[in-house]
PDB file of all heavy atoms in Angstrom:
ATOM      1  N   THR A 291     -14.735  22.581 -16.575  1.00  0.00           N
ATOM      2  CA  THR A 291     -16.181  22.775 -16.657  1.00  0.00           C
ATOM      3  C   THR A 291     -16.841  22.774 -15.288  1.00  0.00           C
ATOM      4  O   THR A 291     -18.001  23.176 -15.167  1.00  0.00           O
ATOM      5  CB  THR A 291     -16.796  21.654 -17.528  1.00  0.00           C
ATOM      6  OG1 THR A 291     -16.000  21.492 -18.701  1.00  0.00           O
ATOM      7  CG2 THR A 291     -18.211  21.982 -17.950  1.00  0.00           C
ATOM      8  N   MET A 315      -2.781  13.585   9.297  1.00  0.00           N
ATOM      9  CA  MET A 315      -3.044  12.918  10.568  1.00  0.00           C
ATOM     10  C   MET A 315      -2.623  11.457  10.526  1.00  0.00           C
ATOM     11  O   MET A 315      -2.311  10.864  11.553  1.00  0.00           O
ATOM     12  CB  MET A 315      -4.526  13.035  10.928  1.00  0.00           C
ATOM     13  CG  MET A 315      -4.892  14.403  11.482  1.00  0.00           C
ATOM     14  SD  MET A 315      -6.558  14.456  12.167  1.00  0.00           S
ATOM     15  CE  MET A 315      -7.526  14.305  10.679  1.00  0.00           C
ATOM     16  N   LEU A 336     -16.458   7.816  -5.525  1.00  0.00           N
ATOM     17  CA  LEU A 336     -17.581   7.186  -6.213  1.00  0.00           C
ATOM     18  C   LEU A 336     -18.829   8.070  -6.272  1.00  0.00           C
ATOM     19  O   LEU A 336     -19.439   8.197  -7.344  1.00  0.00           O
ATOM     20  CB  LEU A 336     -17.899   5.837  -5.564  1.00  0.00           C
ATOM     21  CG  LEU A 336     -19.006   5.009  -6.208  1.00  0.00           C
ATOM     22  CD1 LEU A 336     -18.651   4.680  -7.651  1.00  0.00           C
ATOM     23  CD2 LEU A 336     -19.260   3.727  -5.420  1.00  0.00           C
ATOM     24  N   SER A 346     -25.155  14.464 -16.110  1.00  0.00           N
ATOM     25  CA  SER A 346     -24.953  14.645 -17.545  1.00  0.00           C
ATOM     26  C   SER A 346     -26.058  13.975 -18.349  1.00  0.00           C
ATOM     27  O   SER A 346     -26.597  14.568 -19.295  1.00  0.00           O
ATOM     28  CB  SER A 346     -23.586  14.077 -17.946  1.00  0.00           C
ATOM     29  OG  SER A 346     -23.362  14.207 -19.332  1.00  0.00           O
ATOM     30  N   HIS A 349     -29.307  15.947 -17.960  1.00  0.00           N
ATOM     31  CA  HIS A 349     -29.313  17.231 -18.667  1.00  0.00           C
ATOM     32  C   HIS A 349     -29.468  17.042 -20.175  1.00  0.00           C
ATOM     33  O   HIS A 349     -30.291  17.718 -20.808  1.00  0.00           O
ATOM     34  CB  HIS A 349     -28.010  17.978 -18.360  1.00  0.00           C
ATOM     35  CG  HIS A 349     -27.887  19.282 -19.078  1.00  0.00           C
ATOM     36  ND1 HIS A 349     -28.682  20.365 -18.781  1.00  0.00           N
ATOM     37  CD2 HIS A 349     -27.063  19.670 -20.090  1.00  0.00           C
ATOM     38  CE1 HIS A 349     -28.352  21.375 -19.572  1.00  0.00           C
ATOM     39  NE2 HIS A 349     -27.377  20.974 -20.372  1.00  0.00           N
ATOM     40  N   ALA A 356     -22.935  10.778 -26.915  1.00  0.00           N
ATOM     41  CA  ALA A 356     -21.997  11.139 -27.980  1.00  0.00           C
ATOM     42  C   ALA A 356     -20.553  11.194 -27.481  1.00  0.00           C
ATOM     43  O   ALA A 356     -19.621  11.051 -28.283  1.00  0.00           O
ATOM     44  CB  ALA A 356     -22.382  12.482 -28.584  1.00  0.00           C
ATOM     45  N   ASP A 365     -16.322   3.669 -39.474  1.00  0.00           N
ATOM     46  CA  ASP A 365     -17.538   3.004 -39.015  1.00  0.00           C
ATOM     47  C   ASP A 365     -17.263   1.622 -38.436  1.00  0.00           C
ATOM     48  O   ASP A 365     -17.897   1.219 -37.454  1.00  0.00           O
ATOM     49  CB  ASP A 365     -18.534   2.894 -40.179  1.00  0.00           C
ATOM     50  CG  ASP A 365     -19.015   4.258 -40.655  1.00  0.00           C
ATOM     51  OD1 ASP A 365     -18.944   5.205 -39.839  1.00  0.00           O
ATOM     52  OD2 ASP A 365     -19.448   4.369 -41.816  1.00  0.00           O
ATOM     53  N   LEU A 367     -14.823   0.655 -36.791  1.00  0.00           N
ATOM     54  CA  LEU A 367     -14.131   0.741 -35.509  1.00  0.00           C
ATOM     55  C   LEU A 367     -15.016   1.315 -34.401  1.00  0.00           C
ATOM     56  O   LEU A 367     -14.637   1.278 -33.229  1.00  0.00           O
ATOM     57  CB  LEU A 367     -12.882   1.613 -35.673  1.00  0.00           C
ATOM     58  CG  LEU A 367     -11.800   1.523 -34.594  1.00  0.00           C
ATOM     59  CD1 LEU A 367     -11.283   0.104 -34.449  1.00  0.00           C
ATOM     60  CD2 LEU A 367     -10.661   2.487 -34.906  1.00  0.00           C
ATOM     61  N   THR A 425      17.760   9.705   7.393  1.00  0.00           N
ATOM     62  CA  THR A 425      16.982   9.303   6.217  1.00  0.00           C
ATOM     63  C   THR A 425      15.489   9.311   6.511  1.00  0.00           C
ATOM     64  O   THR A 425      14.682   9.726   5.671  1.00  0.00           O
ATOM     65  CB  THR A 425      17.416   7.904   5.753  1.00  0.00           C
ATOM     66  OG1 THR A 425      18.830   7.891   5.527  1.00  0.00           O
ATOM     67  CG2 THR A 425      16.697   7.510   4.474  1.00  0.00           C
ATOM     68  N   ALA A 456     -22.296  17.007 -20.161  1.00  0.00           N
ATOM     69  CA  ALA A 456     -22.983  17.619 -21.294  1.00  0.00           C
ATOM     70  C   ALA A 456     -23.255  19.075 -21.004  1.00  0.00           C
ATOM     71  O   ALA A 456     -23.802  19.431 -19.953  1.00  0.00           O
ATOM     72  CB  ALA A 456     -24.283  16.870 -21.584  1.00  0.00           C
TER      73      ALA A 456
END
Side-chain angles (χ1 to χ4, degrees):
T291 315
M315 282 190 291
L336 183 60
S346 179
H349 178 69
D365 295 337
L367 197 58
T425 305

